mmCIF file with all atom_site columns, all heavy atoms in Angstrom:
data_model
loop_
_atom_site.group_PDB
_atom_site.id
_atom_site.type_symbol
_atom_site.label_atom_id
_atom_site.label_alt_id
_atom_site.label_comp_id
_atom_site.label_asym_id
_atom_site.label_entity_id
_atom_site.label_seq_id
_atom_site.pdbx_PDB_ins_code
_atom_site.Cartn_x
_atom_site.Cartn_y
_atom_site.Cartn_z
_atom_site.occupancy
_atom_site.B_iso_or_equiv
_atom_site.pdbx_formal_charge
_atom_site.auth_seq_id
_atom_site.auth_comp_id
_atom_site.auth_asym_id
_atom_site.auth_atom_id
_atom_site.pdbx_PDB_model_num
ATOM 1  N N     . LYS A 1 138 ? -41.933 45.507 -27.184 1.00 81.00 ? 494 LYS A N     1
ATOM 2  C CA    . LYS A 1 138 ? -41.901 44.308 -28.028 1.00 81.00 ? 494 LYS A CA    1
ATOM 3  C C     . LYS A 1 138 ? -43.257 44.148 -28.726 1.00 81.00 ? 494 LYS A C     1
ATOM 4  O O     . LYS A 1 138 ? -44.288 44.160 -28.084 1.00 81.00 ? 494 LYS A O     1
ATOM 5  C CB    . LYS A 1 138 ? -41.625 43.087 -27.178 1.00 81.00 ? 494 LYS A CB    1
ATOM 6  C CG    . LYS A 1 138 ? -41.460 41.826 -27.979 1.00 81.00 ? 494 LYS A CG    1
ATOM 7  C CD    . LYS A 1 138 ? -41.213 40.643 -27.065 1.00 81.00 ? 494 LYS A CD    1
ATOM 8  C CE    . LYS A 1 138 ? -40.968 39.372 -27.839 1.00 81.00 ? 494 LYS A CE    1
ATOM 9  N NZ    . LYS A 1 138 ? -39.789 39.445 -28.702 1.00 81.00 ? 494 LYS A NZ    1
ATOM 10 N N     . ARG A 1 140 ? -44.806 46.171 -30.451 1.00 87.00 ? 496 ARG A N     1
ATOM 11 C CA    . ARG A 1 140 ? -45.631 47.356 -30.282 1.00 87.00 ? 496 ARG A CA    1
ATOM 12 C C     . ARG A 1 140 ? -44.936 48.530 -30.934 1.00 87.00 ? 496 ARG A C     1
ATOM 13 O O     . ARG A 1 140 ? -43.830 48.875 -30.559 1.00 87.00 ? 496 ARG A O     1
ATOM 14 C CB    . ARG A 1 140 ? -45.724 47.594 -28.799 1.00 87.00 ? 496 ARG A CB    1
ATOM 15 C CG    . ARG A 1 140 ? -46.695 48.595 -28.457 1.00 87.00 ? 496 ARG A CG    1
ATOM 16 C CD    . ARG A 1 140 ? -46.756 48.554 -26.978 1.00 87.00 ? 496 ARG A CD    1
ATOM 17 N NE    . ARG A 1 140 ? -48.100 48.498 -26.620 1.00 87.00 ? 496 ARG A NE    1
ATOM 18 C CZ    . ARG A 1 140 ? -48.539 48.808 -25.422 1.00 87.00 ? 496 ARG A CZ    1
ATOM 19 N NH1   . ARG A 1 140 ? -47.702 49.075 -24.472 1.00 87.00 ? 496 ARG A NH1   1
ATOM 20 N NH2   . ARG A 1 140 ? -49.782 48.808 -25.182 1.00 87.00 ? 496 ARG A NH2   1
ATOM 21 P P     . C   B 2 74  ? -51.365 46.510 -16.137 1.00 51.04 ? 339 C   B P     1
ATOM 22 O OP1   . C   B 2 74  ? -52.411 46.074 -15.198 1.00 51.04 ? 339 C   B OP1   1
ATOM 23 O OP2   . C   B 2 74  ? -51.017 45.667 -17.292 1.00 51.04 ? 339 C   B OP2   1
ATOM 24 O "O5'" . C   B 2 74  ? -51.736 47.962 -16.684 1.00 51.04 ? 339 C   B "O5'" 1
ATOM 25 C "C5'" . C   B 2 74  ? -52.334 48.923 -15.839 1.00 51.04 ? 339 C   B "C5'" 1
ATOM 26 C "C4'" . C   B 2 74  ? -52.515 50.217 -16.588 1.00 51.04 ? 339 C   B "C4'" 1
ATOM 27 O "O4'" . C   B 2 74  ? -51.231 50.676 -17.054 1.00 51.04 ? 339 C   B "O4'" 1
ATOM 28 C "C3'" . C   B 2 74  ? -53.347 50.124 -17.865 1.00 51.04 ? 339 C   B "C3'" 1
ATOM 29 O "O3'" . C   B 2 74  ? -54.736 50.148 -17.611 1.00 51.04 ? 339 C   B "O3'" 1
ATOM 30 C "C2'" . C   B 2 74  ? -52.869 51.347 -18.634 1.00 51.04 ? 339 C   B "C2'" 1
ATOM 31 O "O2'" . C   B 2 74  ? -53.461 52.521 -18.142 1.00 51.04 ? 339 C   B "O2'" 1
ATOM 32 C "C1'" . C   B 2 74  ? -51.380 51.352 -18.293 1.00 51.04 ? 339 C   B "C1'" 1
ATOM 33 N N1    . C   B 2 74  ? -50.592 50.653 -19.325 1.00 51.04 ? 339 C   B N1    1
ATOM 34 C C2    . C   B 2 74  ? -50.185 51.374 -20.466 1.00 51.04 ? 339 C   B C2    1
ATOM 35 O O2    . C   B 2 74  ? -50.494 52.565 -20.557 1.00 51.04 ? 339 C   B O2    1
ATOM 36 N N3    . C   B 2 74  ? -49.461 50.743 -21.425 1.00 51.04 ? 339 C   B N3    1
ATOM 37 C C4    . C   B 2 74  ? -49.154 49.452 -21.288 1.00 51.04 ? 339 C   B C4    1
ATOM 38 N N4    . C   B 2 74  ? -48.440 48.877 -22.263 1.00 51.04 ? 339 C   B N4    1
ATOM 39 C C5    . C   B 2 74  ? -49.558 48.701 -20.151 1.00 51.04 ? 339 C   B C5    1
ATOM 40 C C6    . C   B 2 74  ? -50.266 49.333 -19.204 1.00 51.04 ? 339 C   B C6    1
ATOM 41 P P     . C   B 2 75  ? -55.648 48.969 -18.181 1.00 51.04 ? 340 C   B P     1
ATOM 42 O OP1   . C   B 2 75  ? -57.018 49.275 -17.755 1.00 51.04 ? 340 C   B OP1   1
ATOM 43 O OP2   . C   B 2 75  ? -55.044 47.673 -17.830 1.00 51.04 ? 340 C   B OP2   1
ATOM 44 O "O5'" . C   B 2 75  ? -55.562 49.131 -19.761 1.00 51.04 ? 340 C   B "O5'" 1
ATOM 45 C "C5'" . C   B 2 75  ? -56.280 50.176 -20.416 1.00 51.04 ? 340 C   B "C5'" 1
ATOM 46 C "C4'" . C   B 2 75  ? -55.606 50.530 -21.712 1.00 51.04 ? 340 C   B "C4'" 1
ATOM 47 O "O4'" . C   B 2 75  ? -54.171 50.521 -21.517 1.00 51.04 ? 340 C   B "O4'" 1
ATOM 48 C "C3'" . C   B 2 75  ? -55.798 49.563 -22.870 1.00 51.04 ? 340 C   B "C3'" 1
ATOM 49 O "O3'" . C   B 2 75  ? -57.044 49.727 -23.517 1.00 51.04 ? 340 C   B "O3'" 1
ATOM 50 C "C2'" . C   B 2 75  ? -54.630 49.958 -23.765 1.00 51.04 ? 340 C   B "C2'" 1
ATOM 51 O "O2'" . C   B 2 75  ? -54.884 51.182 -24.414 1.00 51.04 ? 340 C   B "O2'" 1
ATOM 52 C "C1'" . C   B 2 75  ? -53.531 50.168 -22.735 1.00 51.04 ? 340 C   B "C1'" 1
ATOM 53 N N1    . C   B 2 75  ? -52.757 48.928 -22.524 1.00 51.04 ? 340 C   B N1    1
ATOM 54 C C2    . C   B 2 75  ? -51.718 48.668 -23.428 1.00 51.04 ? 340 C   B C2    1
ATOM 55 O O2    . C   B 2 75  ? -51.511 49.479 -24.342 1.00 51.04 ? 340 C   B O2    1
ATOM 56 N N3    . C   B 2 75  ? -50.980 47.545 -23.286 1.00 51.04 ? 340 C   B N3    1
ATOM 57 C C4    . C   B 2 75  ? -51.244 46.688 -22.297 1.00 51.04 ? 340 C   B C4    1
ATOM 58 N N4    . C   B 2 75  ? -50.482 45.597 -22.193 1.00 51.04 ? 340 C   B N4    1
ATOM 59 C C5    . C   B 2 75  ? -52.295 46.929 -21.360 1.00 51.04 ? 340 C   B C5    1
ATOM 60 C C6    . C   B 2 75  ? -53.020 48.043 -21.513 1.00 51.04 ? 340 C   B C6    1
#
Side-chain angles (χ1 to χ4, degrees):
Chain A
K494 185 181 183 61
R496 190 173 229 199

